[in-house]
Amino acid sequence: MSRPTALILLAAGQGSRMNSELPKVLHQIGGAPLAVHALSAGAALEPAHVVVVTGHGADQVEAALSKHDDTLSFARQVEQNGTAHAVDQARAALEGFEGDAVVLYGDTPFVSGETLERMAEARAEADVVVLGFEAAVPGRYGRLITDGAELVKIVEAKDATDDELAVTLCNSGVVMCDAATLFGLIAKVGNENASGEYYLTDIVEIARADGMRATVVACDEAETLGINTRAELAAAEAAFQARKRAEALENGVTLAQPETTYFALDTVLGRDAVIGPQVVFGPGVTVESGAEIKAFCHLEGCHVAQGAVVGPYARLRPGAELEEGAKVGNFVEIKNATLAEGAKVNHLSYVGDASVGAGANVGAGTITCNYDGVFKHRTKIGAGAFIGSNTLLVAPVEVGAEAMTGSGTVVTDDVPDGDLALSRPRQINKAGFARKLMAMLRAKKMKKDA
Ligand code: UD1
Ligand code: CA
């Protein structure tokens, strides 16, 4: 990047048409808030500063976005007096910053990093670069009035003449300009218009009056899609999923039934990974090359290494780490646990807050009892250990390398390397007792029925 860049993300709006308690920019697509999508696109410019302008639900928005990136700065816009007024709230946070500022919208998630890079290139030729698009239905979008390569002005639909309304090149709202210049221009914006708001769009005419140049970079309308309603959110989710599926196929991933694979914004699938039908990837999943996720699995915050096999019907929760060749089978839940190379948990088990050593075999129905109602405790299973079916591992507890537990064992004490732990009562067989008991019960029933 030639110049340092600062992002200004506008996220103060109420979004009342969402009909929701949740601030609009926190509604999710692909498991990530709308505002995070916009910030991720902006990351392509490697911004030196990111200022998020908050208003409605500010506390909630700031808390959620800080979780995503704790280097964000926030500026509050107490009253929403227009887009120029919103950008002006970032002035103090960017005091003395030398570089370009880019204005993004928290409710416009699909602007691509590549488009922002094209805007940065266009800055070589113009002082103000505006992102535009050919609108299928221009409706209430601002119109970009051009003269050759020059952007002459932006007219809001409410303030436009009939001739201006006939223009189909519309304003996305995304603007790039030297930061100090931007705040200088904004200081001159007035609110004498149909809405009585301070329009960011006015900076184009003001810049030109000061002898500066403005230009338009165009992108596909799909990128500028803004979310205002639940229906638009659902349609945007569908568009996002379609794009992620196409990308995965393009990257050499096998999707058995692509329309049933659900992606998160940050899902990473390696080349030749094989994904069965009906698999959901929540946030934070990496599946390496050649790993296989069979049908009906739900994965979140986990890593699946090469050659590992998951499912069908498995759940990997945050902190699940499957090393090479590990296997997790049907109706198994793994949380905050590492399965070292070649370890197997194949049937009906819960492994949480644990480490399972290389090549260990965890039998059907094994449960790590990791929670005492207040604290979580860890279970450690050594390399090559064999955990018998239906073992309960009452954490904190450690089973040594190549140790075994008998079926049904309740492990409350550590098992040294190579030892066998048994905790069930010894079995006794009562000779002929089953037949005698049955005969007795049948006789009783006959008497009752008679
Ligand atoms: C704006 C543009 C319009 C463009 C359209 C694209 C202006 C004056 N108009 O219109 O040219 O075609 O976006 O969608 O800029 N916001 C604040 N604080 C405010 C006002 C707005 O944070 O005081 C935020 C909103 O939450 C939203 C964004 O800025 O994310 C755009 O505001 P909105 O009121 O939706 O502008 P539009 O009328 O759609
Ligand atoms: Ca809007």
Side-chain angles (χ1 to χ4, degrees):
M1 221 27 63
S2 44
R3 299 196 79 202
T5 306
L7 299 183
I8 302 170
L9 182 80
L10 304 191
Q14 181 171 23
S16 53
R17 291 169 67 208
M18 297 297 283
N19 189 12
S20 174
E21 290 295 321
L22 189 68
K24 175 159 81 168
V25 297
L26 296 186
H27 280 268
Q28 297 193 341
I29 291 177
L34 295 177
V36 168
H37 284 255
L39 292 174
S40 301
L45 299 173
E46 296 174 21
H49 294 284
V50 181
V51 185
V52 182
V53 178
T54 59
H56 282 282
D59 289 335
Q60 209 181 340
V61 172
E62 291 173 13
L65 297 186
S66 297
K67 262 205 320 208
H68 161 73
D69 177 353
D70 61 10
T71 69
L72 299 175
S73 322
F74 295 97
R76 292 209 178 179
Q77 187 193 26
V78 178
E79 274 177 61
Q80 278 72 58
N81 292 330
T83 45
H85 178 253
V87 174
D88 201 40
Q89 308 311 306
R91 181 186 294 271
L94 294 177
E95 183 77 59
F97 171 70
E98 289 180 19
D100 277 1
V102 185
V103 178
L104 296 173
Y105 293 70
D107 62 354
T108 306
F110 294 151
V111 174
S112 72
E114 185 256 324
T115 292
L116 297 177
E117 281 164 356
R118 283 197 292 127
M119 290 181 74
E121 282 162 26
R123 274 276 294 122
E125 309 294 323
D127 301 288
V128 179
V129 178
V130 171
L131 183 63
F133 61 101
E134 280 296 334
V137 183
R140 46 179 292 280
Y141 286 119
R143 305 299 202 274
L144 301 182
I145 311 302
T146 53
D147 180 4
E150 288 282 312
L151 173 61
V152 178
K153 62 174 177 174
I154 308 177
V155 192
E156 288 306 289
K158 277 185 190 169
D159 304 294
T161 64
D162 285 348
D163 279 354
E164 288 166 340
L165 282 176
V167 172
T168 53
L169 184 62
C170 289
N171 176 30
S172 70
V174 179
V175 175
M176 191 178 297
C177 177
D178 172 76
T181 305
L182 176 67
F183 291 115
L185 293 169
I186 281 176
K188 298 181 185 170
V189 170
N191 66 347
E192 304 78 30
N193 53 52
S195 312
E197 285 188 359
Y198 295 87
Y199 288 166
L200 180 61
T201 46
D202 284 355
I203 66 168
V204 170
E205 267 190 292
I206 298 168
R208 283 175 55 86
D210 286 356
M212 293 184 223
R213 298 192 55 202
T215 196
V216 179
V217 163
C219 71
D220 197 278
E221 184 166 9
E223 284 190 40
T224 67
L225 185 82
I227 310 297
N228 299 299
T229 63
R230 301 274 186 169
E232 285 171 3
L233 182 70
E237 176 77 53
F240 168 82
Q241 294 298 340
R243 195 169 65 240
K244 292 298 270 188
R245 289 162 191 155
E247 268 173 32
L249 296 169
E250 184 71 22
N251 293 340
V253 177
T254 298
L255 301 179
Q257 199 181 2
E259 68 277 20
T260 68
T261 313
Y262 280 82
F263 288 87
L265 176 60
D266 59 359
T267 305
V268 179
L269 304 182
R271 189 160 169 259
D272 288 321
V274 176
I275 313 299
Q278 306 285 353
V279 171
V280 176
F281 295 106
V285 177
T286 305
V287 177
E288 285 185 12
S289 278
E292 183 176 3
I293 314 295
K294 294 175 186 274
F296 305 108
C297 289
H298 191 283
L299 291 79
E300 188 180 355
C302 63
H303 174 243
V304 180
Q306 295 196 357
V309 180
V310 177
Y313 297 100
R315 179 169 183 207
L316 301 187
R317 290 174 53 205
E321 171 79 35
L322 272 56
E323 294 179 1
E324 280 186 33
K327 288 207 165 70
V328 169
N330 43 272
F331 307 108
V332 170
E333 173 179 343
I334 310 280
K335 184 218 74 171
N336 191 26
T338 302
L339 267 54
E341 244 175 88
K344 291 181 189 152
V345 186
N346 274 336
H347 330 270
L348 299 153
S349 291
Y350 170 63
V351 176
D353 301 308
S355 64
V356 180
N361 190 319
V362 176
T366 294
I367 305 285
T368 53
C369 311
N370 60 328
Y371 186 48
D372 58 18
V374 179
F375 298 104
K376 299 276 170 69
H377 302 281
R378 292 197 66 86
T379 298
K380 199 174 159 203
I381 297 171
F386 184 97
I387 307 299
S389 295
N390 203 31
T391 294
L392 303 181
L393 296 150
V394 183
V397 78
E398 199 170 324
V399 177
E402 287 163 36
M404 291 177 85
T405 68
S407 300
T409 298
V410 180
V411 183
T412 51
D413 297 323
D414 290 352
V415 184
D417 290 358
D419 282 9
L420 167 66
L422 293 171
S423 76
R424 59 190 186 224
R426 206 168 258 291
Q427 179 175 333
I428 42 173
N429 290 343
K430 300 202 172 190
F433 198 87
R435 285 203 186 104
K436 268 189 235 163
L437 181 68
M438 269 317 212
M440 214 171 80
L441 292 173
R442 285 197 190 105
K444 198 169 175 181
K445 184 159 190 285
M446 255 163 69
K447 208 167 144 190
K448 204 177 154 199
D449 291 347

